[in-house]
Amino acid sequence: AQSVTQLDSQVPVFEEAPVELRCNYSSSVSVYLFWYVQYPNQGLQLLLKYLSGSTLVESINGFEAEFNKSQTSFHLRKPSVHISDTAEYFCAVTGISNAGKSTFGDGTTLTVKP
Amino acid sequence: EAGVTQSPTHLIKTRGQQATLRCSPISGHTSVYWYQQALGLGLQFLLWYDEGEERNRGNFPPRFSGRQFPNYSSELNVNALELEDSALYLCASSQGSGANVLTFGAGSRLTVL
């Protein structure tokens, strides 16, 4: 069994401030980790993923996440946010041996204020 | 390249009726997934189809069912609708499963009155 906990349901920040969206997971098997973003009235889009190798992964729009196996975390960070980053962010895990079933967190709403 | 397309965008039904939602995956993707996104409950895994077969199922009653057609498109059926079935139903597709990234459609919003 696997579960995902996103520790903050809402994160309000001012433009150009740094942000961290926290994600912890539990699983009895090794996992792949993902962050998805959902803009208003749209479906989810992949932001970044960790499959193996370097524990720090980056997206093309400045977000990064670090896989910490000992703390079972995959926190998402951005050093300077823009208004356009306002969206809902979902952390997800897929058990390597539980193909096809991704478990999602409840989401974190990031609101960037001018 | 067309993305994952879902229809209808919105659907209004009354309790006890049946709802059918449709999904067309990205060309070349053989796996289709259904998720329910109810208010305040996050995304809940419903079903996974691959190569026409149901491969995995979430913790939902049997009145939630579906199928995958030879062209890999999929249909989700919800029978005997209940008020709590009101939600956004998201379809996703991938090339295979496991580490493969899910590409989501915009969803079908089902309202049960």
Side-chain angles (χ1 to χ4, degrees):
Chain A
Q2 56 202 32
S3 66
V4 177
T5 302
Q6 291 184 241
L7 297 154
D8 308 289
S9 60
Q10 310 235 5
V11 175
V13 294
F14 287 104
E15 195 173 18
E16 298 183 5
V19 71
E20 178 180 75
L21 307 184
R22 297 178 293 167
C23 172
N24 287 101
Y25 70 93
S26 71
S27 176
S28 55
V29 300
S30 296
V31 296
Y32 301 122
L33 295 155
F34 306 84
W35 275 99
Y36 288 85
V37 58
Q38 185 177 31
Y39 297 104
N41 301 314
Q42 295 185 28
L44 279 72
Q45 306 171 32
L46 178 73
L47 190 59
L48 44 76
K49 62 183 178 182
Y50 171 79
L51 304 182
S52 64
S54 173
T55 58
L56 184 66
V57 291
E58 298 177 352
S59 72
I60 57 173
N61 57 353
F63 282 94
E64 65 179 30
E66 186 159 20
F67 169 51
N68 188 319
K69 189 174 182 179
S70 62
Q71 297 187 5
T72 60
S73 68
F74 192 55
H75 301 332
L76 181 70
R77 301 184 183 94
K78 189 170 185 179
S80 176
V81 294
H82 302 291
I83 298 285
S84 59
D85 293 324
T86 294
E88 189 156 19
Y89 293 80
F90 293 90
C91 181
V93 300
T94 302
I96 290 173
S97 59
N98 189 12
K101 183 178 178 180
S102 292
T103 300
F104 285 77
D106 289 341
T108 297
T109 301
L110 174 64
T111 303
V112 181
K113 300 180 281 188
Chain B
E1 177 185 87
V4 177
T5 57
Q6 292 187 243
S7 63
T9 307
H10 294 91
L11 186 61
I12 300 174
K13 294 284 188 179
T14 57
R15 287 176 59 189
Q17 287 188 311
Q18 179 198 40
T20 298
L21 309 177
R22 297 178 178 85
C23 173
S24 292
I26 288 176
S27 177
H29 285 191
T30 61
S31 279
V32 171
Y33 311 78
W34 288 96
Y35 283 83
Q36 182 194 66
Q37 188 178 20
L39 199 61
L41 292 179
L43 273 79
Q44 305 294 319
F45 171 75
L46 265 166
L47 290 159
W48 168 39
Y49 292 96
D50 183 60
E51 298 285 357
E53 300 285 331
E54 182 180 302
R55 303 292 186 183
N56 206 340
R57 183 182 179 86
N59 191 23
F60 280 84
R63 57 190 186 82
F64 286 83
S65 65
R67 52 181 171 166
Q68 186 178 34
F69 299 100
N71 66 354
Y72 302 113
S73 66
S74 177
E75 195 174 85
L76 174 69
N77 294 295
V78 188
N79 294 318
L81 285 166
E82 300 179 2
L83 297 177
E84 53 265 33
D85 296 334
S86 294
L88 182 67
Y89 289 84
L90 292 169
C91 173
S93 71
S94 74
Q95 266 183 326
S97 62
N100 289 293
V101 171
L102 302 182
T103 302
F104 283 84
S108 293
R109 184 162 297 282
L110 172 64
T111 302
V112 183
L113 303 175

